[in-house]
Amino acid sequence: MHACAQPLLVYNRSADKAASLAAAAAPGAAEAAPRLFDLAASCQIIHLMLSDDAACDAVVSELLCASAGAGGAAGGSGAGGQPMAAGGVLVNHSTVHPDCSRRAAVLAAAAGVEYLACPVFGRCARAAARRRQAPPRRKAWPCALAGARQGPRE
């Protein structure tokens, strides 16, 4: 992560992982958010990269719905807060089942948030070697945008 015009706010369900990621960034480029709701309150665009459908369902639900109560739905992410504001964009890079993406798109549309399913495919070794892995018989893998448009972007 390189320094940019505005710092990157990172979150992980394991706080030590978020702190490590933020510490590995260029000075001033990133900081760790203590709770998922801190992202929802501070960011208009949120990128997700989650391990499986259950994690995706929990995090998306907590980001887009009313407070999940003490501890939060995403495993101790906080005692509640405001969901992501309407007009935001949620980009999901998680490789999950299409039904999981559909559930997320429905929640996003209900919240007035645009949802972009843009899963990452490939193996860690190929990524480390900077070798692209395209799905078979396709030159490009399209991303899908779901949700109601809230008017033109400024």
Side-chain angles (χ1 to χ4, degrees):
M1 291 180 290
H2 300 285
C4 56
Q6 108 183 60
L8 182 65
L9 191 57
V10 297
Y11 172 81
N12 190 296
R13 291 170 291 147
S14 301
D16 58 328
K17 290 181 182 180
S20 294
L21 181 61
E31 66 180 270
R35 301 177 319 146
L36 187 57
F37 282 117
D38 294 324
L39 284 181
S42 303
C43 301
Q44 293 177 335
I45 301 172
I46 297 177
H47 291 262
L48 301 176
M49 178 70 89
L50 298 156
S51 58
D52 57 32
D53 290 18
C56 185
D57 285 338
V59 169
V60 168
S61 178
E62 190 168 348
L63 273 172
L64 298 175
C65 300
S67 170
S77 60
Q82 295 300 312
M84 189 174 182
V89 178
L90 186 59
V91 184
N92 192 354
H93 300 283
S94 310
T95 302
V96 294
H97 192 276
D99 290 343
C100 183
S101 286
R102 286 185 199 98
R103 289 190 298 272
V106 167
L107 287 176
V113 170
E114 293 188 53
Y115 179 77
L116 179 63
C118 194
V120 173
F121 297 95
R123 296 182 178 169
C124 294
R126 289 184 71 90
R130 296 179 183 252
R131 293 180 60 203
R132 185 177 83 96
Q133 172 139 358
R137 296 184 300 264
R138 288 187 172 236
K139 292 184 180 179
W141 192 257
C143 292
L145 183 63
R149 190 118 172 94
Q150 300 297 313
R153 293 277 181 221
E154 297 172 23

